[in-house]
Amino acid sequence: MKFDLGSELIYTATKDTTLILNIEAQHLRGQRISSETFTISPHARGEAHDVPETANRYRRLLLTPGRYTIRYEATVETDPVTKRPDAVAEMAVDKLPFEVVSHLFPSRYCQSDELGRFAWRRFGDLPPGHGRVEDICDWIHDNVDYLEGSSHGSTSAYDTFTTRAGVCRDFAHLGITFCRALGIPARFVSAYGWKLEPQDFHAVFEAYLGGRWYMFDPTRLSPPDGIVRIGVGRDAADTAFATWFGALESEPKIVWMNEAAGQEEAAAEQAVSVSAT
Amino acid sequence: MKFDLGSELIYTATKDTTLILNIEAQHLRGQRISSETFTISPHARGEAHDVPETANRYRRLLLTPGRYTIRYEATVETDPVTKRPDAVAEMAVDKLPFEVVSHLFPSRYCQSDELGRFAWRRFGDLPPGHGRVEDICDWIHDNVDYLEGSSHGSTSAYDTFTTRAGVCRDFAHLGITFCRALGIPARFVSAYGWKLEPQDFHAVFEAYLGGRWYMFDPTRLSPPDGIVRIGVGRDAADTAFATWFGALESEPKIVWMNEAAGQEEAAAEQAVSVSAT
Amino acid sequence: MKFDLGSELIYTATKDTTLILNIEAQHLRGQRISSETFTISPHARGEAHDVPETANRYRRLLLTPGRYTIRYEATVETDPVTKRPDAVAEMAVDKLPFEVVSHLFPSRYCQSDELGRFAWRRFGDLPPGHGRVEDICDWIHDNVDYLEGSSHGSTSAYDTFTTRAGVCRDFAHLGITFCRALGIPARFVSAYGWKLEPQDFHAVFEAYLGGRWYMFDPTRLSPPDGIVRIGVGRDAADTAFATWFGALESEPKIVWMNEAAGQEEAAAEQAVSVSAT
Amino acid sequence: MKFDLGSELIYTATKDTTLILNIEAQHLRGQRISSETFTISPHARGEAHDVPETANRYRRLLLTPGRYTIRYEATVETDPVTKRPDAVAEMAVDKLPFEVVSHLFPSRYCQSDELGRFAWRRFGDLPPGHGRVEDICDWIHDNVDYLEGSSHGSTSAYDTFTTRAGVCRDFAHLGITFCRALGIPARFVSAYGWKLEPQDFHAVFEAYLGGRWYMFDPTRLSPPDGIVRIGVGRDAADTAFATWFGALESEPKIVWMNEAAGQEEAAAEQAVSVSAT
């Protein structure tokens, strides 16, 4: 599918502040960017930094005091996601590429060291593989209420498991936590998500199965081919859409994602014009 | 200085278990290994994996059920640490190499997002640089009691700040947390530490200043040139000396570190014979 | 001083719900109620329950489904609070009336068992007595930011001590926690507070000194004789203005407290007309 | 049944310390004390305080520096507990005696405000009454591992629910928490428990049903008539067997409980000789 998407952030710096943004769509084989624009007004000194290992794209901007409007717009085409790959197997920990082993360790919001007893009791006897991670997502969907305002910036999987309420980010953290506890590497994915209500940044997670990363969305709020990836990391601490060092006041952000018109033609043209200021 | 050091770990696997060890000294310019041996008895299938970026050295072993004795022994020479480099400056976040930026983010045991208010109030007005991180260490040393048994595996900087008691690992987590809150990248270092009582693995931390990593030990338990580095990572979650997936029972570990005899001659010989089974 | 004060709460019960309210001013020697009205519309079956030991006044109402407007209005006169009674001494734990000993124990929001190390280190060497509790209030005022929205329903003293931000309820919890850790019985007081901005229910605390309870307000937001007590308890868990069992949706509450006209005359009349529906 | 039971505690006070003990069996209709002795050696000034409302018996002792051996011994007869009273109903919150309402509120170790969502989802549709509290106990027994050393002094129901491991005190806290979340008043009971391995103080809980308190033991470690009650309170914070203010070092405590010989005769004699120094 093809989408017009983007976000607009407004910040007022009250002193010199370094702002690190991660709001741009990743360049991936299954996620093609046919056009995009990043603007900040007034102009601020900064740089773009793309991390090859993760495909994460950062902007690091040095804001002097003032009010800034930041806007990212892109047209992105995603490949249709084929149906549930149940045959994909888990990999034994001794077979994992060493680079993904760190995705088995607990992180800021994913205390897999604390939730292992439950994870093994509940999911340990299920047939391993892609289906087991789907079972984890089903459990989250069935046992945790999706409730705006029920969590906050310091809410972790430890809390969500107890209070049984959260938003997409909390759902993803819980899925990651269960996977890691079971010996399945897992990581956080921030994204643009189609059909979210209200529209906002989305969060899903990936599990490492059969030699690659597979995406899972325990909220079931966006269709699989309606998710455009922004950033991956251990958890939300690594993939904040905005991190700053200094003093910043923010106004409500706007995020949008709509089906783009003229889907076939665009695919035919394939005219990629990436313009980032 | 030159040290004979090592550790002995005894585990009983009750089912097939993958054990990941990080107990071997790093190969570094200021930390030369003149001899070392790693043995596991009975033999277990496995591999060594050295991570170039961090110099961390892992063993991943596949244990079938049984009782295993693992022993690492090395002779390591450290360079004398020159006196406190007060002139070293902090780097502005917008100048940091992008690779170290992730060491500003909160992690499992270092909730720098929660402790920023205190960190800025207490340390924000101090002159930035190496001396400020020393001030952080002084504060930890003066305000937190070093107390065996006062913390446990899930204790984080959040807890240590409140309860004001901990061991070396907790001291390091708190130091890391304050640094990150102030915009100074910081990471955890596991180590062999000379003169620890009781002898055990040690933990210190590093802050990124003036373009490189500097080591700090808020416990002040080992002399600076009496610390032999094992692993670095975001916090103890990344640098556990042993992580396993399966079922393992452990017996009390033994860790030792003593000044080696014949220091001058050894330096002259420089005969490095690394033998790892 | 004399005040017109009150509150208006609007709830919609979506099934049969028992609502327990604690919003009425206490009848005390230094806090005289010259008139008051409690109304709920539409009518709901219920009862008033005054607890002699604490002077707390509860309404327990059985709401059938529907939307209810609850309104409490009173005119209350407080005695001027005499100046800081520095001479008042702490009581040794072995001299305390046994009834107040339970106010030394930790409670839901006041983990005095965790904060003892800090409390003794910081306040342990100060001269005991009323002045030491004032010192505790000064410390809270100087080290914790009063910040609307910085805490939520499950925030405890443990959290506030770490994050260093909160509202009146958090300030009170922290004061209680330090007192208990030092062996000074302390309890939570919910109140109407004059000059609060925005107007809302207020929270302060009391410490047991020299044989009676003394009130302290670490927020310093209301003048001492501008506080009209509603409820006392171990912490906010005991003194919620509203607790319900069932299903209730609430609309924003309104709380007010203004200086009453005709202060002298009212005192002369002393015509107490309590009318509670 | 009839039991010889008791405990021996050894403390060294390093400065003047007030010690509050709650280790003596309650005098109850179904729990008759045929003889008991409380001794402290060397002698310490102090007093016994019995709380009529709860039947809790406290000793408050003022220890000057020195090493003290405290010993309580009693012969106690319990009534056989009749079989599971399934017919006992829950009471609607609006019918509860007001005195027990506070046992619906969250407390230090029982965050019923956080666990309500789970409690209602899991137990909300079960038939209310004594059987529902038994179902709660079954759930705890089936889902939480009884594991010495898995918890510590600050472990709360919030933690136990997540980590799924604990000891008797944690099991009781979790039971209390679920009950309160469902609108069933619940409280903590410390006790001597027969057949515990290793022998130690025991902890169970009580729920208020059909107008009185019923005891529940989710650990299922002691037979119902093998539990001799010591103290009741909101949670373990209220019913610590020892609380002190000052400085005390403790040696391992000894607790014992054995079936007493000559059961019939003792009942006939009924010669109660309570001697407490």
PDB file of all heavy atoms in Angstrom, chain A residues 49 58 60 93 96 98 105 108 113-114 154 234 238, chain B residues 49 58 60 93 96 98 108 113-114 154 234 237-238:
ATOM      1  N   HIS A  49      21.895  11.738  10.680  1.00  0.00           N
ATOM      2  CA  HIS A  49      22.791  10.612  10.935  1.00  0.00           C
ATOM      3  C   HIS A  49      22.003   9.319  10.758  1.00  0.00           C
ATOM      4  O   HIS A  49      21.058   9.060  11.494  1.00  0.00           O
ATOM      5  CB  HIS A  49      23.364  10.702  12.351  1.00  0.00           C
ATOM      6  CG  HIS A  49      24.412   9.674  12.607  1.00  0.00           C
ATOM      7  ND1 HIS A  49      25.759   9.904  12.391  1.00  0.00           N
ATOM      8  CD2 HIS A  49      24.314   8.392  13.017  1.00  0.00           C
ATOM      9  CE1 HIS A  49      26.439   8.810  12.669  1.00  0.00           C
ATOM     10  NE2 HIS A  49      25.586   7.882  13.067  1.00  0.00           N
ATOM     11  N   TYR A  58      18.449   9.624  12.327  1.00  0.00           N
ATOM     12  CA  TYR A  58      18.373  10.644  13.360  1.00  0.00           C
ATOM     13  C   TYR A  58      18.656  12.024  12.785  1.00  0.00           C
ATOM     14  O   TYR A  58      19.405  12.177  11.822  1.00  0.00           O
ATOM     15  CB  TYR A  58      19.392  10.362  14.463  1.00  0.00           C
ATOM     16  CG  TYR A  58      19.148   9.075  15.199  1.00  0.00           C
ATOM     17  CD1 TYR A  58      19.803   7.896  14.823  1.00  0.00           C
ATOM     18  CD2 TYR A  58      18.262   9.023  16.275  1.00  0.00           C
ATOM     19  CE1 TYR A  58      19.577   6.703  15.494  1.00  0.00           C
ATOM     20  CE2 TYR A  58      18.035   7.832  16.948  1.00  0.00           C
ATOM     21  CZ  TYR A  58      18.686   6.682  16.555  1.00  0.00           C
ATOM     22  OH  TYR A  58      18.452   5.515  17.224  1.00  0.00           O
ATOM     23  N   ARG A  60      20.106  15.499  14.541  1.00  0.00           N
ATOM     24  CA  ARG A  60      20.581  16.142  15.767  1.00  0.00           C
ATOM     25  C   ARG A  60      20.648  17.625  15.499  1.00  0.00           C
ATOM     26  O   ARG A  60      21.403  18.064  14.621  1.00  0.00           O
ATOM     27  CB  ARG A  60      21.944  15.593  16.170  1.00  0.00           C
ATOM     28  CG  ARG A  60      22.487  16.245  17.421  1.00  0.00           C
ATOM     29  CD  ARG A  60      23.608  15.444  18.057  1.00  0.00           C
ATOM     30  NE  ARG A  60      24.679  15.132  17.120  1.00  0.00           N
ATOM     31  CZ  ARG A  60      25.822  14.542  17.477  1.00  0.00           C
ATOM     32  NH1 ARG A  60      26.012  14.165  18.739  1.00  0.00           N
ATOM     33  NH2 ARG A  60      26.745  14.279  16.587  1.00  0.00           N
ATOM     34  N   VAL A  93      19.319 -20.599  21.552  1.00  0.00           N
ATOM     35  CA  VAL A  93      20.218 -19.507  21.933  1.00  0.00           C
ATOM     36  C   VAL A  93      21.647 -19.799  21.488  1.00  0.00           C
ATOM     37  O   VAL A  93      22.394 -18.893  21.128  1.00  0.00           O
ATOM     38  CB  VAL A  93      20.145 -19.262  23.456  1.00  0.00           C
ATOM     39  CG1 VAL A  93      21.192 -18.256  23.897  1.00  0.00           C
ATOM     40  CG2 VAL A  93      18.756 -18.781  23.845  1.00  0.00           C
ATOM     41  N   LEU A  96      22.081 -18.595  17.777  1.00  0.00           N
ATOM     42  CA  LEU A  96      21.821 -17.203  17.394  1.00  0.00           C
ATOM     43  C   LEU A  96      23.096 -16.512  16.933  1.00  0.00           C
ATOM     44  O   LEU A  96      24.151 -16.722  17.525  1.00  0.00           O
ATOM     45  CB  LEU A  96      21.282 -16.416  18.599  1.00  0.00           C
ATOM     46  CG  LEU A  96      19.871 -16.699  19.075  1.00  0.00           C
ATOM     47  CD1 LEU A  96      19.621 -15.929  20.362  1.00  0.00           C
ATOM     48  CD2 LEU A  96      18.845 -16.303  18.019  1.00  0.00           C
ATOM     49  N   PHE A  98      25.751 -13.831  17.164  1.00  0.00           N
ATOM     50  CA  PHE A  98      26.082 -13.200  18.433  1.00  0.00           C
ATOM     51  C   PHE A  98      25.566 -11.764  18.520  1.00  0.00           C
ATOM     52  O   PHE A  98      25.280 -11.252  19.602  1.00  0.00           O
ATOM     53  CB  PHE A  98      27.593 -13.258  18.675  1.00  0.00           C
ATOM     54  CG  PHE A  98      27.882 -13.504  20.107  1.00  0.00           C
ATOM     55  CD1 PHE A  98      27.980 -14.792  20.608  1.00  0.00           C
ATOM     56  CD2 PHE A  98      27.983 -12.442  20.991  1.00  0.00           C
ATOM     57  CE1 PHE A  98      28.195 -15.011  21.951  1.00  0.00           C
ATOM     58  CE2 PHE A  98      28.188 -12.665  22.340  1.00  0.00           C
ATOM     59  CZ  PHE A  98      28.305 -13.941  22.821  1.00  0.00           C
ATOM     60  N   PHE A 105      18.714  -9.492  26.618  1.00  0.00           N
ATOM     61  CA  PHE A 105      18.947  -8.930  27.951  1.00  0.00           C
ATOM     62  C   PHE A 105      17.813  -7.983  28.341  1.00  0.00           C
ATOM     63  O   PHE A 105      17.181  -7.375  27.487  1.00  0.00           O
ATOM     64  CB  PHE A 105      20.269  -8.164  27.967  1.00  0.00           C
ATOM     65  CG  PHE A 105      21.472  -9.014  27.660  1.00  0.00           C
ATOM     66  CD1 PHE A 105      22.606  -8.458  27.082  1.00  0.00           C
ATOM     67  CD2 PHE A 105      21.478 -10.375  27.950  1.00  0.00           C
ATOM     68  CE1 PHE A 105      23.724  -9.233  26.803  1.00  0.00           C
ATOM     69  CE2 PHE A 105      22.599 -11.157  27.664  1.00  0.00           C
ATOM     70  CZ  PHE A 105      23.722 -10.582  27.090  1.00  0.00           C
ATOM     71  N   ARG A 108      15.532  -0.982  29.963  1.00  0.00           N
ATOM     72  CA  ARG A 108      14.844   0.006  30.813  1.00  0.00           C
ATOM     73  C   ARG A 108      13.382  -0.339  31.077  1.00  0.00           C
ATOM     74  O   ARG A 108      12.914  -0.256  32.195  1.00  0.00           O
ATOM     75  CB  ARG A 108      14.948   1.384  30.143  1.00  0.00           C
ATOM     76  CG  ARG A 108      14.097   2.502  30.743  1.00  0.00           C
ATOM     77  CD  ARG A 108      14.558   2.901  32.109  1.00  0.00           C
ATOM     78  NE  ARG A 108      13.784   3.976  32.704  1.00  0.00           N
ATOM     79  CZ  ARG A 108      12.693   3.772  33.444  1.00  0.00           C
ATOM     80  NH1 ARG A 108      12.264   2.555  33.670  1.00  0.00           N
ATOM     81  NH2 ARG A 108      12.059   4.791  33.970  1.00  0.00           N
ATOM     82  N   ASP A 113      14.066 -10.218  33.263  1.00  0.00           N
ATOM     83  CA  ASP A 113      14.587 -10.970  34.406  1.00  0.00           C
ATOM     84  C   ASP A 113      13.534 -11.173  35.489  1.00  0.00           C
ATOM     85  O   ASP A 113      13.630 -12.096  36.286  1.00  0.00           O
ATOM     86  CB  ASP A 113      15.809 -10.246  34.985  1.00  0.00           C
ATOM     87  CG  ASP A 113      15.541  -8.759  35.272  1.00  0.00           C
ATOM     88  OD1 ASP A 113      14.835  -8.127  34.466  1.00  0.00           O
ATOM     89  OD2 ASP A 113      16.024  -8.237  36.282  1.00  0.00           O
ATOM     90  N   GLU A 114      12.540 -10.324  35.542  1.00  0.00           N
ATOM     91  CA  GLU A 114      11.523 -10.419  36.590  1.00  0.00           C
ATOM     92  C   GLU A 114      10.313 -11.233  36.141  1.00  0.00           C
ATOM     93  O   GLU A 114       9.559 -11.737  36.962  1.00  0.00           O
ATOM     94  CB  GLU A 114      11.022  -9.019  36.975  1.00  0.00           C
ATOM     95  CG  GLU A 114      12.101  -8.040  37.376  1.00  0.00           C
ATOM     96  CD  GLU A 114      12.418  -8.105  38.852  1.00  0.00           C
ATOM     97  OE1 GLU A 114      11.833  -8.951  39.551  1.00  0.00           O
ATOM     98  OE2 GLU A 114      13.274  -7.324  39.307  1.00  0.00           O
ATOM     99  N   SER A 154       7.291   6.678  32.618  1.00  0.00           N
ATOM    100  CA  SER A 154       8.150   5.744  33.330  1.00  0.00           C
ATOM    101  C   SER A 154       7.510   4.370  33.499  1.00  0.00           C
ATOM    102  O   SER A 154       8.058   3.506  34.172  1.00  0.00           O
ATOM    103  CB  SER A 154       8.538   6.322  34.695  1.00  0.00           C
ATOM    104  OG  SER A 154       7.422   6.396  35.527  1.00  0.00           O
ATOM    105  N   ARG A 234      16.266  -1.289  21.725  1.00  0.00           N
ATOM    106  CA  ARG A 234      15.945  -2.271  22.766  1.00  0.00           C
ATOM    107  C   ARG A 234      14.550  -2.061  23.335  1.00  0.00           C
ATOM    108  O   ARG A 234      13.842  -2.987  23.642  1.00  0.00           O
ATOM    109  CB  ARG A 234      16.960  -2.156  23.888  1.00  0.00           C
ATOM    110  CG  ARG A 234      18.322  -2.595  23.419  1.00  0.00           C
ATOM    111  CD  ARG A 234      19.096  -3.011  24.602  1.00  0.00           C
ATOM    112  NE  ARG A 234      20.467  -3.261  24.243  1.00  0.00           N
ATOM    113  CZ  ARG A 234      21.412  -3.478  25.128  1.00  0.00           C
ATOM    114  NH1 ARG A 234      21.107  -3.462  26.421  1.00  0.00           N
ATOM    115  NH2 ARG A 234      22.633  -3.726  24.748  1.00  0.00           N
ATOM    116  N   ASP A 238      15.430   3.719  23.590  1.00  0.00           N
ATOM    117  CA  ASP A 238      16.322   3.849  22.429  1.00  0.00           C
ATOM    118  C   ASP A 238      15.652   4.530  21.255  1.00  0.00           C
ATOM    119  O   ASP A 238      16.342   4.968  20.326  1.00  0.00           O
ATOM    120  CB  ASP A 238      16.731   2.449  21.930  1.00  0.00           C
ATOM    121  CG  ASP A 238      17.886   1.889  22.707  1.00  0.00           C
ATOM    122  OD1 ASP A 238      18.335   2.540  23.660  1.00  0.00           O
ATOM    123  OD2 ASP A 238      18.337   0.778  22.368  1.00  0.00           O
TER     124      ASP A 238
ATOM    125  N   HIS B  49      33.647 -15.677  21.499  1.00  0.00           N
ATOM    126  CA  HIS B  49      33.212 -14.611  20.614  1.00  0.00           C
ATOM    127  C   HIS B  49      33.718 -13.288  21.176  1.00  0.00           C
ATOM    128  O   HIS B  49      33.323 -12.873  22.251  1.00  0.00           O
ATOM    129  CB  HIS B  49      31.690 -14.592  20.492  1.00  0.00           C
ATOM    130  CG  HIS B  49      31.209 -13.615  19.473  1.00  0.00           C
ATOM    131  ND1 HIS B  49      31.008 -13.946  18.156  1.00  0.00           N
ATOM    132  CD2 HIS B  49      30.935 -12.292  19.559  1.00  0.00           C
ATOM    133  CE1 HIS B  49      30.627 -12.879  17.486  1.00  0.00           C
ATOM    134  NE2 HIS B  49      30.569 -11.864  18.314  1.00  0.00           N
ATOM    135  N   TYR B  58      33.282 -13.165  25.050  1.00  0.00           N
ATOM    136  CA  TYR B  58      32.236 -14.056  25.530  1.00  0.00           C
ATOM    137  C   TYR B  58      32.584 -15.508  25.241  1.00  0.00           C
ATOM    138  O   TYR B  58      33.265 -15.824  24.258  1.00  0.00           O
ATOM    139  CB  TYR B  58      30.907 -13.737  24.850  1.00  0.00           C
ATOM    140  CG  TYR B  58      30.374 -12.355  25.164  1.00  0.00           C
ATOM    141  CD1 TYR B  58      30.620 -11.283  24.313  1.00  0.00           C
ATOM    142  CD2 TYR B  58      29.627 -12.138  26.311  1.00  0.00           C
ATOM    143  CE1 TYR B  58      30.145 -10.016  24.600  1.00  0.00           C
ATOM    144  CE2 TYR B  58      29.136 -10.873  26.604  1.00  0.00           C
ATOM    145  CZ  TYR B  58      29.401  -9.814  25.745  1.00  0.00           C
ATOM    146  OH  TYR B  58      28.921  -8.571  26.039  1.00  0.00           O
ATOM    147  N   ARG B  60      30.213 -18.863  24.725  1.00  0.00           N
ATOM    148  CA  ARG B  60      28.847 -19.399  24.695  1.00  0.00           C
ATOM    149  C   ARG B  60      28.968 -20.914  24.707  1.00  0.00           C
ATOM    150  O   ARG B  60      29.517 -21.513  23.782  1.00  0.00           O
ATOM    151  CB  ARG B  60      28.110 -18.922  23.451  1.00  0.00           C
ATOM    152  CG  ARG B  60      26.699 -19.489  23.377  1.00  0.00           C
ATOM    153  CD  ARG B  60      25.825 -18.715  22.409  1.00  0.00           C
ATOM    154  NE  ARG B  60      26.415 -18.587  21.086  1.00  0.00           N
ATOM    155  CZ  ARG B  60      25.776 -18.026  20.062  1.00  0.00           C
ATOM    156  NH1 ARG B  60      24.547 -17.552  20.193  1.00  0.00           N
ATOM    157  NH2 ARG B  60      26.364 -17.941  18.880  1.00  0.00           N
ATOM    158  N   VAL B  93      26.530  17.699  23.829  1.00  0.00           N
ATOM    159  CA  VAL B  93      25.814  16.589  23.195  1.00  0.00           C
ATOM    160  C   VAL B  93      25.824  16.723  21.673  1.00  0.00           C
ATOM    161  O   VAL B  93      25.885  15.734  20.952  1.00  0.00           O
ATOM    162  CB  VAL B  93      24.368  16.513  23.729  1.00  0.00           C
ATOM    163  CG1 VAL B  93      23.562  15.477  22.980  1.00  0.00           C
ATOM    164  CG2 VAL B  93      24.370  16.199  25.218  1.00  0.00           C
ATOM    165  N   LEU B  96      29.132  15.119  20.291  1.00  0.00           N
ATOM    166  CA  LEU B  96      29.465  13.726  20.573  1.00  0.00           C
ATOM    167  C   LEU B  96      29.463  12.889  19.302  1.00  0.00           C
ATOM    168  O   LEU B  96      28.598  13.075  18.446  1.00  0.00           O
ATOM    169  CB  LEU B  96      28.424  13.102  21.521  1.00  0.00           C
ATOM    170  CG  LEU B  96      28.414  13.556  22.976  1.00  0.00           C
ATOM    171  CD1 LEU B  96      27.195  12.958  23.663  1.00  0.00           C
ATOM    172  CD2 LEU B  96      29.699  13.130  23.678  1.00  0.00           C
ATOM    173  N   PHE B  98      28.260  10.079  17.128  1.00  0.00           N
ATOM    174  CA  PHE B  98      26.901   9.555  17.242  1.00  0.00           C
ATOM    175  C   PHE B  98      26.861   8.173  17.901  1.00  0.00           C
ATOM    176  O   PHE B  98      25.874   7.804  18.533  1.00  0.00           O
ATOM    177  CB  PHE B  98      26.216   9.528  15.871  1.00  0.00           C
ATOM    178  CG  PHE B  98      24.785   9.899  15.986  1.00  0.00           C
ATOM    179  CD1 PHE B  98      24.379  11.225  15.898  1.00  0.00           C
ATOM    180  CD2 PHE B  98      23.830   8.933  16.268  1.00  0.00           C
ATOM    181  CE1 PHE B  98      23.058  11.578  16.069  1.00  0.00           C
ATOM    182  CE2 PHE B  98      22.500   9.278  16.433  1.00  0.00           C
ATOM    183  CZ  PHE B  98      22.119  10.599  16.336  1.00  0.00           C
ATOM    184  N   ARG B 108      18.170  -0.589  31.883  1.00  0.00           N
ATOM    185  CA  ARG B 108      17.503  -1.434  32.887  1.00  0.00           C
ATOM    186  C   ARG B 108      17.714  -0.968  34.327  1.00  0.00           C
ATOM    187  O   ARG B 108      16.776  -0.892  35.103  1.00  0.00           O
ATOM    188  CB  ARG B 108      18.005  -2.880  32.734  1.00  0.00           C
ATOM    189  CG  ARG B 108      17.590  -3.864  33.843  1.00  0.00           C
ATOM    190  CD  ARG B 108      16.131  -4.152  33.825  1.00  0.00           C
ATOM    191  NE  ARG B 108      15.726  -5.095  34.865  1.00  0.00           N
ATOM    192  CZ  ARG B 108      15.359  -4.717  36.077  1.00  0.00           C
ATOM    193  NH1 ARG B 108      15.338  -3.447  36.418  1.00  0.00           N
ATOM    194  NH2 ARG B 108      14.974  -5.626  36.967  1.00  0.00           N
ATOM    195  N   ASP B 113      16.186   9.014  33.293  1.00  0.00           N
ATOM    196  CA  ASP B 113      14.997   9.841  33.045  1.00  0.00           C
ATOM    197  C   ASP B 113      14.302  10.237  34.347  1.00  0.00           C
ATOM    198  O   ASP B 113      13.594  11.234  34.402  1.00  0.00           O
ATOM    199  CB  ASP B 113      14.020   9.095  32.134  1.00  0.00           C
ATOM    200  CG  ASP B 113      13.715   7.686  32.626  1.00  0.00           C
ATOM    201  OD1 ASP B 113      14.625   7.006  33.145  1.00  0.00           O
ATOM    202  OD2 ASP B 113      12.563   7.240  32.510  1.00  0.00           O
ATOM    203  N   GLU B 114      14.481   9.473  35.401  1.00  0.00           N
ATOM    204  CA  GLU B 114      13.801   9.751  36.667  1.00  0.00           C
ATOM    205  C   GLU B 114      14.654  10.604  37.602  1.00  0.00           C
ATOM    206  O   GLU B 114      14.135  11.251  38.505  1.00  0.00           O
ATOM    207  CB  GLU B 114      13.487   8.434  37.404  1.00  0.00           C
ATOM    208  CG  GLU B 114      12.694   7.438  36.592  1.00  0.00           C
ATOM    209  CD  GLU B 114      11.208   7.630  36.718  1.00  0.00           C
ATOM    210  OE1 GLU B 114      10.782   8.576  37.392  1.00  0.00           O
ATOM    211  OE2 GLU B 114      10.464   6.823  36.135  1.00  0.00           O
ATOM    212  N   SER B 154      17.533  -7.305  41.298  1.00  0.00           N
ATOM    213  CA  SER B 154      16.670  -6.361  40.596  1.00  0.00           C
ATOM    214  C   SER B 154      16.813  -4.940  41.119  1.00  0.00           C
ATOM    215  O   SER B 154      16.083  -4.046  40.697  1.00  0.00           O
ATOM    216  CB  SER B 154      15.214  -6.825  40.692  1.00  0.00           C
ATOM    217  OG  SER B 154      14.761  -6.735  42.001  1.00  0.00           O
ATOM    218  N   ARG B 234      25.814  -1.187  28.749  1.00  0.00           N
ATOM    219  CA  ARG B 234      24.998  -0.084  29.248  1.00  0.00           C
ATOM    220  C   ARG B 234      24.855  -0.135  30.766  1.00  0.00           C
ATOM    221  O   ARG B 234      24.833   0.868  31.433  1.00  0.00           O
ATOM    222  CB  ARG B 234      23.618  -0.162  28.623  1.00  0.00           C
ATOM    223  CG  ARG B 234      23.689   0.128  27.150  1.00  0.00           C
ATOM    224  CD  ARG B 234      22.367   0.620  26.708  1.00  0.00           C
ATOM    225  NE  ARG B 234      22.313   0.726  25.269  1.00  0.00           N
ATOM    226  CZ  ARG B 234      21.202   0.956  24.610  1.00  0.00           C
ATOM    227  NH1 ARG B 234      20.059   1.066  25.276  1.00  0.00           N
ATOM    228  NH2 ARG B 234      21.203   1.052  23.319  1.00  0.00           N
ATOM    229  N   ALA B 237      22.980  -5.396  33.126  1.00  0.00           N
ATOM    230  CA  ALA B 237      22.205  -6.307  32.280  1.00  0.00           C
ATOM    231  C   ALA B 237      23.003  -6.755  31.063  1.00  0.00           C
ATOM    232  O   ALA B 237      22.805  -7.854  30.548  1.00  0.00           O
ATOM    233  CB  ALA B 237      20.899  -5.640  31.834  1.00  0.00           C
ATOM    234  N   ASP B 238      23.902  -5.900  30.607  1.00  0.00           N
ATOM    235  CA  ASP B 238      24.720  -6.214  29.433  1.00  0.00           C
ATOM    236  C   ASP B 238      25.990  -6.973  29.793  1.00  0.00           C
ATOM    237  O   ASP B 238      26.624  -7.549  28.909  1.00  0.00           O
ATOM    238  CB  ASP B 238      25.187  -4.913  28.761  1.00  0.00           C
ATOM    239  CG  ASP B 238      24.153  -4.356  27.809  1.00  0.00           C
ATOM    240  OD1 ASP B 238      23.065  -4.938  27.730  1.00  0.00           O
ATOM    241  OD2 ASP B 238      24.433  -3.335  27.160  1.00  0.00           O
TER     242      ASP B 238
END
